[in-house]
Amino acid sequence: MPNAKNSPLYRWFRYFHMNYKAFTAYRFNTASYLLTQVVTLVGTMTIWYYSISNGATGISLSEIITYYIVGQLVILQLSPHWSIAEDIQTGKFSNKLLRPEGVWMSYLIEDLGVNAFTNCVKIVLSGGLIVLLLAYISKPSNLVVLVLFGASIGVAYSIELMISYISSFLTFYTINSHGILELFGQIKSFCSGWFFPLNLVWFTRPLLYLPFAFTYYYPMQIYLEKYSIQESLMILGYGVAVAVVLFLIASWIYWDGLRRYESVGL
């Protein structure tokens, strides 16, 4: 019988666990992040509460609470671009190229381990708020909506990952990419619909056609049943097409950038 510890799945798990332990070794840092999540979520909900109470929006309190809290529960942090960019800048990226496992998958597993505690915090906080505010949480009317919502979350993570890879691989062309990564992060936060639903005002509606909208806005609109079943299927199809295009773009940038990276000094 083959040894389970020699299986690729076990090795990936050990790599995930190693990065998880490395991140959680800094107790004060993890506690600080916990406080950051609380302040951000409570602050956002307070602003929306007073806006809705004063009639500043056409959205109900139940809808906006569901939009934020359920979104925080299922759309977790995925950000391998910081590690990739840093390794490219310092030359450590070469070590990843020498390993037998895939480079993209290696950075993904590493990021999942690093962000495991962070994402657990988000899940616990969001789950607790759902229990406290259960009367305000909207629920899908049927199982089909939940299936479509689950599929949209899968598309959201695929697009999120491709955007992360594209932004990090641009480091092949620059000396320092921290500004580029920060710019991508801010653009994604705004254009994804996290700050507010993109259909709230007329001048943000063109953002619905950008890939960022699939990383938050569309999944939550599907959950809130703002679209019919047919419309939701069309959105999912468009999202899959966007993910494929982004994968092709990321692959081209990677291989072209890798050629430049490997030819340095030759």
Side-chain angles (χ1 to χ4, degrees):
M1 295 294 291
N3 190 344
K5 291 187 176 181
N6 293 327
S7 67
L9 183 61
Y10 180 79
R11 291 197 297 270
W12 282 124
F13 170 75
R14 294 301 303 172
Y15 188 56
F16 163 86
H17 188 252
M18 179 187 70
N19 284 281
Y20 168 77
K21 290 181 67 177
F23 180 77
T24 53
Y26 302 97
R27 309 289 184 184
F28 183 75
N29 181 65
T30 53
S32 299
Y33 188 85
L34 172 61
L35 182 60
T36 301
Q37 293 293 297
V38 172
V39 171
T40 301
L41 189 57
V42 172
T44 302
M45 296 306 301
T46 300
I47 292 172
W48 274 103
Y49 173 77
Y50 282 104
S51 298
I52 293 173
S53 300
N54 294 326
T57 67
I59 303 177
S60 68
L61 183 61
S62 175
E63 181 178 332
I64 204 64
I65 287 177
T66 303
Y67 183 83
Y68 276 103
I69 297 181
V70 174
Q72 287 290 304
L73 179 67
V74 299
I75 301 177
L76 305 176
Q77 185 167 327
L78 189 65
S79 53
H81 52 276
W82 292 107
S83 296
I84 297 173
E86 182 179 353
D87 285 355
I88 292 174
Q89 289 176 205
T90 59
K92 295 179 180 179
F93 190 78
S94 300
N95 296 332
K96 289 290 196 301
L97 296 174
L98 296 174
R99 295 179 180 180
E101 65 269 12
V103 175
W104 293 28
M105 179 62 75
S106 179
Y107 277 108
L108 174 59
I109 298 299
E110 177 183 322
D111 183 72
L112 291 175
V114 168
N115 286 319
F117 180 83
T118 298
N119 288 325
C120 286
V121 168
K122 291 183 67 176
I123 291 173
V124 170
L125 285 175
S126 301
L129 287 173
I130 286 176
V131 173
L132 291 174
L133 303 172
L134 189 59
Y136 295 95
I137 301 296
S138 301
K139 306 170 187 63
S141 60
N142 57 71
L143 183 60
V144 176
V145 175
L146 280 177
V147 172
L148 292 173
F149 175 61
S152 70
I153 294 300
V155 173
Y157 281 129
S158 299
I159 292 177
E160 172 94 10
L161 187 60
M162 291 304 107
I163 292 174
S164 185
Y165 282 143
I166 289 172
S167 62
S168 63
F169 293 154
L170 291 177
T171 310
F172 285 124
Y173 303 90
T174 63
I175 297 175
N176 191 310
S177 63
H178 285 91
I180 295 174
L181 299 184
E182 185 63 28
L183 177 62
F184 264 84
Q186 295 299 324
I187 291 174
K188 187 183 76 67
S189 296
F190 181 81
C191 296
S192 67
W194 191 92
F195 290 126
F196 55 87
L198 297 177
N199 61 345
L200 190 62
V201 289
W202 65 269
F203 57 83
T204 61
R205 288 173 186 169
L207 301 178
L208 295 173
Y209 300 99
L210 297 180
F212 304 103
F214 289 94
T215 63
Y216 197 97
Y217 174 80
Y218 280 123
M220 291 313 304
Q221 294 301 300
I222 291 175
Y223 180 88
L224 291 167
E225 299 184 74
K226 297 296 182 179
Y227 300 110
S228 65
I229 300 298
Q230 292 74 16
E231 289 173 330
S232 296
L233 289 172
M234 291 178 63
I235 289 171
L236 286 175
Y238 181 48
V240 170
V242 168
V244 171
V245 171
L246 290 177
F247 171 75
L248 295 175
I249 294 173
S251 298
W252 180 82
I253 295 175
Y254 174 73
W255 289 112
D256 183 69
L258 189 62
R259 178 179 58 81
R260 295 168 179 265
Y261 178 80
E262 292 178 330
S263 65
V264 172
L266 298 181

